[in-house]
Amino acid sequence: MEEAENVSAKSSQDGTGNPAESASRIAGQTDNGTAGTAPAATNTRNTGPGRLLIAVYAVFAISATARAGYQILTKFSEAPLAYLLSAFAAVVYVVATVSLAKPGRTAFKVSVSAVLVELVGVLVVGALSVFDSVNFPHETVWSLFGRGYGFIPLLLPILGLIWLYRRRPAAQHG
């Protein structure tokens, strides 16, 4: 809407066009009244609450990458499985962050895949860290279902999948 106001204000300032005509083009209408493509309308994943979701994923991508890097560089021999899983979680968070922010069907599919991998990872690593604590002497991002991070790693993929479901691309016709 803000973009429509900016275009409308510009066209009325320089006298190059009808503000209503400019607004209809932004809304996806062409001169002959048929619907055109409107890039802003095709990717609604990174607007509104989606921005907050992307920001949380970005924070987790940065923190998980830093934590895994530090653990692998300084004390890898103490818990190699746990630290490699931390690094894997960091990669998943980076992929999720980037794909959630990008428009398009491919990015949407990558987002769904990354968030599903995250959910499975949290559930599997969480369960293993409870029942096989010998292999998890040190915590990872996903250990104990994300307890060290306030269980946000468990809730985040659930919220992510709900958001993606509500913002899934429309089916293509033809």
Side-chain angles (χ1 to χ4, degrees), residues 7-135:
V7 171
S8 176
K10 181 179 183 269
S11 65
S12 64
Q13 286 174 354
D14 64 10
T16 59
N18 177 350
E21 180 181 321
S22 298
S24 70
R25 282 191 185 141
I26 289 173
Q29 300 250 331
T30 59
D31 288 338
N32 63 6
T34 61
T37 58
T42 59
N43 181 33
T44 59
R45 293 188 315 275
N46 61 6
T47 59
R51 288 184 181 177
L52 178 61
L53 186 69
I54 293 167
V56 173
Y57 268 103
V59 167
F60 270 83
I62 293 166
S63 65
T65 300
R67 179 180 185 162
Y70 173 77
Q71 290 170 329
I72 288 171
L73 291 174
T74 61
K75 46 190 176 178
F76 182 72
S77 61
E78 294 176 23
L81 176 62
Y83 298 152
L84 287 174
L85 285 170
S86 282
F88 178 72
V91 170
V92 170
Y93 285 126
V94 169
V95 170
T97 302
V98 172
S99 62
L100 282 165
K102 292 184 76 130
R105 285 183 153 316
T106 301
F108 174 80
K109 290 176 184 177
V110 172
S111 296
V112 170
S113 298
V115 175
L116 281 172
V117 166
E118 177 194 4
L119 180 60
V120 170
V122 171
L123 294 174
V124 170
V125 172
L128 287 174
S129 64
V130 169
F131 297 114
D132 187 14
S133 59
V134 173
N135 281 318

